[in-house]
Amino acid sequence: MTSLTKPGDRKKARIDSLAEAGALSDEEGVSLWRSAWHRLRRDPVFLIGAVIIAAFVILAVIAPWIAPHDPAARLLIDQRTTQNPVPGPQPGFPLGADDAGRDMLSRLMVGARQTLIVGVLATLGGFAGGMVLGTIAGGIGGWADTIVMRIVDVMLSIPSLLMAFSLAAMFARPSQWTVILAIAIIQIPIFARLLRGSMMAQRHSDHVLAARALGVRPAPIVFRHMLPNSVGPVIVQGTLVLAVAIIDAAALSFLGLGNPDDTQPEWGQMLGRSQQYFNTHPEVAVYPAVCIIVVALGFTLMGESLREALDPKSRR
Amino acid sequence: MSSPTQDPQQVPSPDVTEDPTGGRTPGASDDILLEVRGLKVHFPIKKGVFIDRTVGHVYAVDGIDLQIRRGETYGLVGESGCGKSTFGRAILQLETTTDGEVLFNGTDLASLGGEALRTQRRHMQMVFQDPLGSLDPRQTVEQLLLEGMRAHGLVMGGGARERLIELLRAVGLPRTALSKYPHEFSGGQRQRVGIARALSVNPQLIVADEPVSALDVSVQAQVINLLADLQEELGLTYLLIAHDLAVVRHISDRVGVMYLGALVEEAEADDLYAQPLHPYTRALMSAVPVPDPVVEDSREQILLAGDLPSPANPPSGCRFHTRCPWRQETRCDTERPELRVVQIDGVPPSQRVACHWAEQIASGELQPHEVAVTLTDPTATESDHDEGLFGPASVIEAR
Amino acid sequence: MTAQPTADPALDRSARTAPLLAVRDLTVTFGRGRREFRAVDGVSFDVAPGQTVGLVGESGCGKSVTSLAIMGLLPARGNTIGGSATFAGEELLTMSGNELRDRRGRDLAMIFQDPLSSLNPVVPLGTQVAEVIERHKRVSRGEAREQARAMLDKVGIPDPTRRLKEYPHQLSGGMRQRALIAMALACEPRLLIADEPTTALDVTIQAQILALLKELVQDSETALVMITHDLGVVAGLCDEVNVLYAGRIVERAGRHDLFARPRHPYTGGLLASIPRLHEERGRLTPVPGSVSDNIPWEQGCAFAPRCSSAIDVCVQQTPELVPDPGHGPDRLLRCHNPLPAPPTAAGSGQPAEEETP
C-alpha cells in the first residue's frame, strides 16, 4: 500500500503534531441534514405546523370510515326550498348541508383527501420538472443555461393563474388530473429558477473549485457537490408552494375548471359551488375556506422553520 | 505526458523522493518542474442589458515568466488585487489563460483540455485560503479524501481505509475524523483536512493560496510547520501565495514579488530580505508591523502614497511609477521595465528586479522624494473613467 | 468567582491623569440557561487621555464584544451586560438610548474592521460626514460641509472636494477606512475605539492608517482603545497591552515589558508562533490545539489544555488576575505557573507558584 510516512523514522515532531491539532471527539460525525432535523424537532413553530399537517393527513386517510354520512348522498334534499337553498345545522348534521342536501361535515372530511392529493402531486410535479430544468441550466451552464432560462422567463411572464386557466381549459374534459397538471406546470419555473440560482452560486464556490482541481469529472461535480448543496432552498420553497398549490387548486375549482365530478368533494370545488349563496349563507363558503387556510398555514409554518433550520448561518 | 506511467498504486510518493539530491539544492536549474512563459489572464468587463458588450479588461495577470524547481518552495507575495491568486489558479488551469504557456514536466497545460487535462490534475493540487468554504459541507472527511483517489483510479479494494488513516496521520488528525463533517472541526483542523485532500492523489506540486491567513495566529504556526514537514517527507514542490511577508520568508526558498499583474522582483528568500532592490519590495517590507516594540520604535518606514491603481486601467510604463518615491522623469512612465540581473556588489545573479534605476537606488545616488497622491477609483475602466453608481461588478470580483 | 480586588492596581497610578474610560468587571452573556455563553467575563481596564490601550486576542476572546458593550452597540435582546463602564465619571452601561446616541460621535467614536459595510452605500460620502458634524456640533449645513471637507483633507484623502460627492463604492478600501476615521473624528471625540481597523487592508495601506492614528492620538490627546489580533500592530502603537483569552484578561503590561518579558504562557506562545521577517527560517513553536479545546474558567484556567506549562492546579483552581510581583503594580497576570522572567532592573523573576503575593 502506498505509504506516506516511513514508519520507522517518523520524527518526534510528527507525533507531537497529532496532539497539536487539538482534540476531536470520538463520536460519529453529524451531517448538516441531521443537525437540521435535530433543531427542527425542538422548534415549536415546526411542531405546530407538523401537527396541523399530520392531523389533516390522518383525516384524509380515514375520512371515508369516520365520516357520519355518505358525502355524495343527498340526505337533506327535501329541506331545500327556494327561500332557504342551504339546509342549516340540525341533529346529525352539525354543519348543515350544501345546496344539494349533502352533509357539510362529511364533505369537508372526505374533501381533505382530494385537496391534499392535488396539492402534493402538483407540487411534486413542479418540483421534479424544476429540478430537471434547474440542473440542466445550472449544471451545464453556457448555451443550455441561456435556452432553459429564456423558456423559464417566458413562462414566468404569464400570470400563473391565467396560465393555469388556459392549460386547464385546453383539456376537453376537466378532471382532477388537469388541475394537478396545470398547477405543476406553473410551478416548474419557480423551482427551476431557484435551483439554477443556487447552483450558480455553488459553481463559483471554493469547494467546487477544489473538486475541479482534484480532477473530479464534471458529472460527479454536478450531482455530488453542486446539487446536494443547492436543494435546501428548493425544498423549503416546496413546502411553501404546497400551500399556494392548494389555494390555486381551489381557485381553479372555484372557476369551474376543477373536477366536475362532485361526488368526490374537494374544498376548492365546495368553495366554488358556494358562490351563489355568499350573500345569504356565507357559512357555506367559510367552512372550506377555513380548512384551506389552516392547511396552507401548516405547510407555511413547516417551510419557514425548515428554512431557518437549513440556514448555515443560524447554526450554532 | 511525462508523468510516471507505472501503476500509481506502486508509487510510494512522487518520483522526486528518489532523487538523491533531495531536490532542495538551489541552482539545479536542469530540474525544473514548472515553467511559466508569458502568462496572461485578462478578464473581460462586460456591460449591456441584452447583448453583453466588452467595455474593457481587467489585466489580472499580465505577462509573468517564472520557473519552479523540483522540491523547492516558491513564495509569491503581493497585496490584494495584484493578481497572485489568479496566477495560482491559472497555473492549475482553473482560470482560462489569455496567453502564454504553463509547462509542467515539459507538458504545456494551457494547450490541454478535457480528459488530458483532468488526468494531469493528479500531479498538481491546491490548498485554499478558506478551509471551511473549500470543503463540501455535506461530505464526510472520508468521502472528501476518497473522491480524488477515485477520480484517478487510485483506490482498489480494501486498501482504501488504511490509506485514508495514513493520510490523516500525515496531517496530524486522529482516525475518528473520518466520519466527521467539515463544520465539526476547528479552523486549523479543517485546513489539515484540506491539505490531506490535496495529498490524497500524490501530487508533485501544491499551490497553496493564503493557506494560513484565515487561521488564528496561534494556529498558523501549526499549519506552517506541517507544510514544511510534509515537503521534507514527500519531496513536494510548493507555490505559496500569500500577502504576509513574514510567512513567505519563513517557508520559501525563493520569493517573487508581484505588483499589478507582473513580477517586480525575484530572488532567493534570504537575499531578498537582506537587500530588497525594487522600491515596491522595500516599501512592502518596511510596512510590515514587527511584534517587537524596540524595532517598531526605531525603524524607518517607507509610507507609500495612495492605493493600488485599478488593474482594469494600469499605469503606463512601470506600473509602480504612480506611487514610487524614486520615480524619475524619464523612462519610468513610458518604458515598462523587464526583470533583469543587476550589477551591484553583494547581489547574486539569481536576484532579478524590474526597475530601470535599481543600481542608482541601491547606491544611494537616487534619493526618495515626495509623491503626489493620484486618485484611484476602484470602479474605473480604461474606456469609462466616470462610472455611476452601477459600475461593473466583475471588476471587484476579479481579484 | 470573578471577584476583582477592590483596589484595582491600575487605579493607583497617581502619576497618570485620571482615567477617561474606566471599565470595571464588564461581563457580557449571550443566551440563557443551558445555552448561556459568557463572551466577556469580568474585564477591567482604564484608558487615560492621550493613552493607547490595546486589547489583543484571537477570534472569540471577547475583544470586540467588549468594545460593542462599552459603546452600547450590542443588540438589545439576547444578551446580559454586567459590571460598569464609566466615561468621565458617567456610567455608560445604564445610559438611555438617546443619551448614548448623543454621546456617540461627540465624545465616543468607533471605527470598524469593514469600512464598506460601515458606510451607507447610497449616500454620498460628504453628506455622511457632514450629517455627523451637523448633528453633534449644531452648525449649519454649509458649515458642516466645509468642516467635512477639512476633515477628509486632514485624514489624507486627496482632492476632498471631489470625494465629498462620491459614493463609498467609488473609494478604495484604504480611502474608505480614512473616510470612516474622518467621520469618527469629525466631532473631536475624547475616546476612539478602533476594532481591527486595518485587518481588511493591505500592509502598505495598513502602515498609512496606523501612522494616521498615531499622529491623531499624539496631536489631540484622544484616548484610543485598539482592538486587534496582530501583535505587530500592538508593538508599534499601544502604551499598555491587555491580552485576552476566552473572555478574560490573562496578562497586562506596558508594551516594552510585554514583548521583552512575556509572563503568561499564552502570550509567550503567541510570540513564539509568529514568523518574523528579520529572522532566519526555522521551526516555529505553535500553540497546540485551538480555542475549542478550552475548559470553562469555573473549572480552572481556560488555557490549561493548550498550555505547555500547565500543572495540576491549573485544572483545579481558577487563577486570579493579580499584580506580578517584582514587575511593578502595572503588570497583571492570571496564571498559576507563569513563564520564568529573565532578570530585570525591577527585580529578579520569581519562581513558579506566586498567585497570592
Side-chain angles (χ1 to χ4, degrees), chain A residues 1-6 10-11 13-14 17-33 35 205-218 220-221 224-226 228-230 232 310 315, chain B residues 9 11-12 89 93-94 115 118 121 124-125 128 130 133-139 147-148 151-152 159 162-163 166-167 169-174 176-177 179-181 183-185 189 192 197 202 222 226 229 232-234:
Chain A
M1 195 57 230
T2 311
S3 166
L4 269 171
T5 48
K6 284 156 249 125
R10 191 182 299 124
K11 291 184 298 297
R14 290 330 298 281
S17 76
L18 264 172
E20 188 180 281
L24 201 61
S25 77
D26 287 340
E27 286 144 41
E28 195 70 1
V30 179
S31 76
L32 290 184
W33 290 114
S35 76
S205 71
D206 267 5
H207 71 86
V208 168
L209 195 68
R212 280 177 61 203
L214 212 51
V216 179
R217 291 183 179 83
I221 288 183
R224 211 184 299 153
H225 295 287
M226 289 167 65
N229 282 293
S230 308
L310 289 178
R315 199 184 59 232
Chain B
Q9 291 288 295
V11 188
R89 291 176 184 194
Q93 303 300 312
L94 295 170
E115 192 63 12
R118 194 188 73 77
R121 292 201 181 283
M124 42 194 187
Q125 281 302 306
F128 293 81
D130 175 9
S134 60
L135 301 174
D136 188 330
R138 302 199 185 277
Q139 304 225 323
E147 182 160 47
H152 295 285
E162 284 165 46
R163 166 81 176 140
E166 193 105 44
L167 275 170
R169 194 160 37 186
V171 297
L173 287 174
T176 49
S179 71
K180 297 211 180 283
Y181 290 85
H183 66 265
E184 300 175 271
F185 294 93
Q189 290 170 333
R192 286 169 195 263
R197 175 178 58 187
N202 277 340
Q222 296 176 6
L226 176 66
D229 290 348
E232 207 168 297
E233 280 169 36
L234 305 175

Side-chain angles (χ1 to χ4, degrees), chain B residues 23-24 26 68-69 71-78 206 208 210-212 224-225 227-228 231 236-257 265-273, chain C residues 275-277 279-284:
Chain B
R24 260 229 182 212
I68 301 179
R69 294 186 281 262
E72 82 168 342
T73 300
Y74 190 99
L76 195 60
V77 275
I206 288 187
E210 300 275 11
V212 298
I224 293 174
N225 282 348
L227 287 171
Q231 181 171 47
L236 295 167
T237 306
Y238 288 143
L239 171 62
L240 175 82
I241 298 166
H243 72 280
D244 187 330
L245 281 92
V247 167
V248 167
R249 185 217 169 139
H250 195 83
I251 46 177
S252 304
D253 299 298
R254 285 195 302 144
V255 177
V257 182
E265 190 163 1
E266 185 189 77
E268 303 284 332
D270 292 343
D271 295 336
L272 185 78
Y273 287 90
Chain C
R276 311 291 175 105
L277 193 54
E279 275 170 16
E280 296 286 310
R281 47 193 283 179
R283 242 189 121 73
L284 297 168

Side-chain angles (χ1 to χ4, degrees), chain B residues 208-339:
Chain B
D209 187 0
E210 300 275 11
V212 298
S213 64
L215 304 176
D216 266 329
V217 187
S218 69
V219 179
Q220 287 189 0
Q222 296 176 6
V223 174
I224 293 174
N225 282 348
L226 176 66
L227 287 171
D229 290 348
L230 290 170
Q231 181 171 47
E232 207 168 297
E233 280 169 36
L234 305 175
L236 295 167
T237 306
Y238 288 143
L239 171 62
L240 175 82
I241 298 166
H243 72 280
D244 187 330
L245 281 92
V247 167
V248 167
R249 185 217 169 139
H250 195 83
I251 46 177
S252 304
D253 299 298
R254 285 195 302 144
V255 177
V257 182
M258 237 179 125
Y259 186 79
L260 272 187
L263 282 178
V264 296
E265 190 163 1
E266 185 189 77
E268 303 284 332
D270 292 343
D271 295 336
L272 185 78
Y273 287 90
Q275 192 176 9
L277 295 177
H278 197 280
Y280 178 65
T281 318
R282 289 179 156 215
L284 202 58
M285 282 175 51
S286 83
V288 178
V290 181
D292 184 345
V294 185
V295 178
E296 276 291 315
D297 290 351
S298 58
R299 77 206 179 103
E300 246 176 273
Q301 271 195 345
I302 303 168
L303 280 186
L304 286 185
D307 302 299
L308 193 75
S310 163
N313 185 22
S316 62
C318 173
R319 301 200 153 175
F320 188 56
H321 83 260
T322 53
R323 298 168 77 195
C324 182
W326 284 273
R327 175 196 171 178
Q328 297 302 303
E329 290 307 313
T330 54
R331 298 182 77 188
C332 286
D333 58 347
T334 51
E335 200 183 319
R336 193 170 167 191
E338 297 281 323
L339 275 185

Side-chain angles (χ1 to χ4, degrees), chain C:
Chain C
M1 110 229 105
T2 60
Q4 205 64 36
T6 36
D8 191 304
L11 288 175
D12 301 337
R13 283 167 294 180
S14 44
R16 198 165 273 158
T17 33
L20 185 65
L21 174 74
V23 177
R24 285 292 166 275
D25 212 8
L26 183 71
T27 303
V28 181
T29 315
F30 292 112
R32 277 173 197 290
R34 273 196 308 133
R35 311 192 60 161
E36 188 179 275
F37 169 67
R38 192 161 282 190
V40 180
D41 197 355
V43 164
S44 307
F45 63 93
D46 288 334
V47 194
Q51 193 194 18
T52 303
V53 170
L55 300 182
V56 197
E58 297 178 283
S59 52
C61 74
K63 53 190 195 298
S64 290
V65 178
T66 303
S67 63
L68 292 174
I70 294 169
M71 293 293 285
L73 291 174
L74 283 175
R77 293 178 56 154
N79 62 65
T80 329
I81 304 175
S84 105
T86 53
F87 177 80
E90 280 180 280
E91 179 60 53
L92 291 172
L93 298 185
T94 53
M95 217 174 244
S96 76
N98 270 334
E99 251 180 304
L100 203 57
R101 256 191 297 282
D102 197 44
R103 275 298 154 93
R104 283 203 295 265
R106 205 182 62 210
D107 287 335
L108 310 153
M110 186 158 178
I111 40 182
F112 298 90
Q113 176 176 348
D114 181 2
L116 188 55
S117 59
S118 310
L119 291 164
N120 184 343
V122 293
V123 177
L125 199 66
T127 314
Q128 296 191 47
V129 183
E131 265 174 8
V132 179
I133 297 174
E134 210 181 312
R135 180 173 162 174
H136 292 289
K137 284 192 171 173
R138 304 192 199 289
V139 292
S140 74
R141 184 151 297 178
E143 171 63 23
R145 237 182 142 67
E146 179 48 36
Q147 286 189 15
R149 200 200 61 76
M151 208 59 227
L152 292 188
D153 195 39
K154 187 177 169 191
V155 296
I157 294 181
D159 198 358
T161 321
R162 182 183 150 194
R163 297 278 127 169
L164 281 177
K165 297 189 202 85
E166 294 193 340
Y167 293 88
H169 79 276
Q170 291 173 293
L171 298 171
S172 66
M175 286 300 156
R176 276 179 214 140
Q177 194 58 284
R178 280 168 193 269
L180 213 62
I181 293 176
M183 268 171 82
L185 297 180
C187 299
E188 293 145 29
R190 293 154 71 194
L191 173 73
L192 180 64
I193 299 181
D195 186 357
E196 302 267 13
T198 59
T199 306
L201 306 175
D202 282 317
V203 268
T204 57
I205 311 298
Q206 165 171 287
Q208 296 170 3
I209 299 292
L210 291 179
L212 174 67
L213 283 176
K214 216 185 269 189
E215 196 183 298
L216 289 169
V217 171
Q218 274 162 12
D219 293 355
S220 59
E221 280 286 291
T222 309
L224 175 64
V225 177
M226 184 77 186
I227 292 162
T228 180
H229 71 280
D230 189 335
L231 287 163
V233 168
V234 172
L237 194 65
C238 300
D239 301 312
E240 185 183 83
V241 186
N242 294 289
V243 181
L244 269 80
Y245 193 80
R248 296 195 185 188
I249 293 177
V250 294
E251 183 165 14
R252 169 184 306 167
R255 66 176 170 135
H256 283 283
D257 231 17
L258 186 82
F259 285 89
R261 288 173 292 278
R263 295 275 287 146
H264 198 283
Y266 175 62
T267 319
L270 273 186
L271 286 170
S273 68
I274 9 181
R276 311 291 175 105
L277 193 54
H278 300 278
E279 275 170 16
E280 296 286 310
R281 47 193 283 179
R283 242 189 121 73
L284 297 168
T285 321
V287 181
S290 70
V291 285
S292 52
D293 298 314
N294 290 350
I295 58 170
W297 278 112
E298 288 74 18
Q299 292 171 21
C301 174
F303 183 62
R306 303 177 66 192
C307 183
S308 51
S309 4
I311 47 177
D312 289 348
V313 67
C314 296
V315 289
Q316 291 157 2
Q317 199 182 342
T318 307
E320 297 294 336
L321 187 66
V322 291
D324 190 5
H327 288 84
D330 284 0
R331 242 199 120 144
L332 303 184
L333 183 64
R334 185 193 293 281
C335 184
H336 291 302
N337 185 22
L339 300 173
T344 67
S348 58
Q350 303 285 311
E353 298 88 10
E354 52 178 77
E355 45 153 338
T356 25

